[in-house]
């Protein structure tokens, strides 16, 4: 009989986007509960050990985190299995480095280096728009944030520009035709393009048609689309490949 929740994760069952070598051992880091889903998260230990090469093993990662020099979205994190995700800002005080977590056109997690000024804000996708007690409106974003009294123009699937230090909304991007977007799920994960139109089907998930910088068109579900800019102007800096598959 089952004896409760599983606390371990085998390497062969880990998400492919973590890029773990299957011959590197039996076990993989099991993400803790946090703002991102388990299959859409990237544990902090993999960032420090596998991506940045700041540590060689588990023990060294723990020693680094106990120094309280690693910040995620402006907050100090000391849990090695803390789940980071898309658009999160990783800051390292001792080296003055800042990174934004994005996807490459193959769907793997990448750390995109950003300047200090850009690390003060992040983009969040609105996934819920509700009313609480006494009719107070609030929105819920893709990273688990709950923000009360948003702008009445903000709707579901829009993106907000959130200031991490002041904890408030600076600007927002409407989910409209002609907006620049990033695909965060499905077969086209990591690709960047401009929204052409939306297909409405009764009883079926809405489909969005997107065109990339090379003029190639593709389609995906509306839940996989993350708006990041207006027209060809992006609110965040993007990798050199600009979401194009080679």
């Amino acid at each position: 009989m089952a004896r409760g929740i599983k606390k371990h994760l085998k390497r062969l069952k880990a998400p492919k986007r973590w890029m773990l070598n299957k011959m590197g051992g039996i076990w993989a880091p099991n993400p803790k509960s946090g703002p991102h889903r388990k299959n859409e998260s990237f544990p902090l230990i993999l960032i420090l050990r596998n991506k940045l090469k700041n540590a060689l093993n588990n023990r060294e990662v723990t020693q680094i985190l106990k120094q309280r020099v690693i910040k995620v979205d402006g907050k100090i994190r000391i849990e090695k299995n803390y789940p980071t995700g898309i658009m999160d800002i990783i800051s390292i005080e001792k080296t003055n480095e800042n990174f934004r977590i994005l996807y490459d056109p193959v769907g793997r997690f990448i750390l995109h280096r950003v300047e200090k000024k850009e690390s003060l804000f992040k983009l969040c996708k609105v996934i819920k728009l509700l009313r609480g007690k006494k009719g107070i409106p609030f929105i819920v974003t893709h990273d688990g944030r709950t923000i009360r009294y948003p702008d009445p123009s903000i709707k579901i699937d829009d993106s907000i520009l959130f200031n991490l230090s002041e904890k408030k909304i600076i600007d927002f991007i409407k989910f409209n035709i002609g907006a620049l977007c990033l695909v965060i799920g499905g077969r086209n994960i990591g690709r960047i393009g401009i929204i052409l139109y939306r297909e409405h089907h009764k009883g079926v998930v809405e489909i969005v048609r997107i065109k990339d910088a090379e003029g190639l068109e593709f389609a995906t579900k509306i839940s996989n689309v993350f708006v990041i800019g207006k027209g060809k102007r992006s609110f965040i800096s993007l990798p050199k490949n600009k979401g194009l598959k080679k």
Side-chain angles (χ1 to χ4, degrees):
M1 293 179 65
R3 292 179 291 179
I5 188 171
K6 290 184 178 179
K7 298 182 180 180
H8 300 84
L9 177 65
K10 288 197 173 181
R11 187 165 290 241
L12 292 177
K13 294 294 183 181
K16 300 298 182 185
R17 62 188 68 174
W18 289 4
M19 293 180 58
L20 294 180
N21 182 8
K22 67 178 182 179
M23 301 300 291
I26 298 176
W27 307 104
N30 191 15
K32 297 286 186 181
S33 299
H36 298 278
R37 295 178 181 176
K38 185 175 182 178
N39 60 342
E40 297 175 357
S41 64
F42 198 37
L44 206 52
I45 183 175
L46 296 183
I47 294 176
L48 296 175
R49 186 186 65 189
N50 296 22
K51 287 289 187 180
L52 298 178
K53 308 294 184 182
N54 288 339
L56 295 175
N57 49 43
N58 190 0
R59 182 174 58 85
E60 291 184 4
V61 171
T62 304
Q63 290 175 349
I64 293 173
L65 292 174
K66 284 185 177 180
Q67 296 177 22
R68 305 177 69 86
V69 294
I70 308 297
K71 290 184 178 181
V72 180
D73 290 342
K75 289 187 177 181
I76 296 173
R77 300 295 180 185
I78 60 174
E79 172 55 52
K80 64 182 180 181
N81 289 335
Y82 179 81
T84 64
I86 186 74
M87 294 295 172
D88 282 358
I89 297 292
I90 310 297
S91 302
I92 305 175
E93 291 184 353
K94 285 194 173 182
T95 58
N96 292 324
E97 292 178 314
N98 300 285
F99 303 93
R100 187 187 303 278
I101 298 181
L102 296 173
Y103 293 124
D104 68 358
V106 186
R108 299 168 296 195
F109 281 110
I110 59 172
L111 297 178
H112 177 60
R113 192 182 299 270
V114 297
E115 297 179 355
K116 178 68 176 178
K117 184 178 180 181
E118 189 179 344
S119 67
L120 300 177
F121 64 86
K122 69 178 294 189
L123 283 174
C124 302
K125 180 181 179 180
V126 179
I127 58 175
K128 291 182 181 179
L129 177 61
L130 303 169
R131 287 186 177 271
K133 291 185 178 179
K134 299 182 181 179
I136 296 176
F138 67 93
I139 58 174
V140 180
T141 62
H142 78 284
D143 58 348
R145 297 180 189 274
T146 301
I147 305 171
R148 303 200 311 167
Y149 298 108
D151 190 297
S153 302
I154 299 176
K155 304 298 180 183
I156 294 177
D157 294 324
D158 293 348
S159 295
I160 61 171
L161 195 64
F162 189 75
N163 190 315
L164 296 173
S165 58
E166 299 180 2
K167 308 296 182 184
K168 66 178 184 180
I169 300 174
I170 307 173
D171 199 357
F172 62 92
I173 312 170
K174 296 293 294 180
F175 189 97
N176 291 330
I177 295 174
L180 187 66
C181 66
L182 168 70
V183 180
I184 58 173
R187 293 184 63 184
N188 294 299
I189 185 171
R191 299 181 70 178
I192 298 173
I194 295 176
I195 299 174
L196 296 179
Y197 58 89
R198 297 167 61 174
E199 299 177 1
H200 299 271
H201 303 283
K202 289 185 177 180
V204 187
V205 180
E206 289 188 29
I207 303 298
V208 180
R209 297 289 297 185
I210 303 170
K211 182 172 71 173
D212 63 11
E214 291 184 341
L216 300 177
E217 295 185 14
F218 58 94
T220 187
K221 295 191 299 184
I222 192 171
S223 60
N224 293 336
V225 180
F226 195 124
V227 182
I228 59 173
K230 299 176 181 177
K232 294 184 178 180
R233 172 178 167 266
S234 175
F235 278 47
I236 60 173
S237 62
L238 298 175
K240 292 181 180 180
N241 55 24
K242 296 182 179 179
L244 296 175
K245 279 191 174 182
K246 295 182 180 180

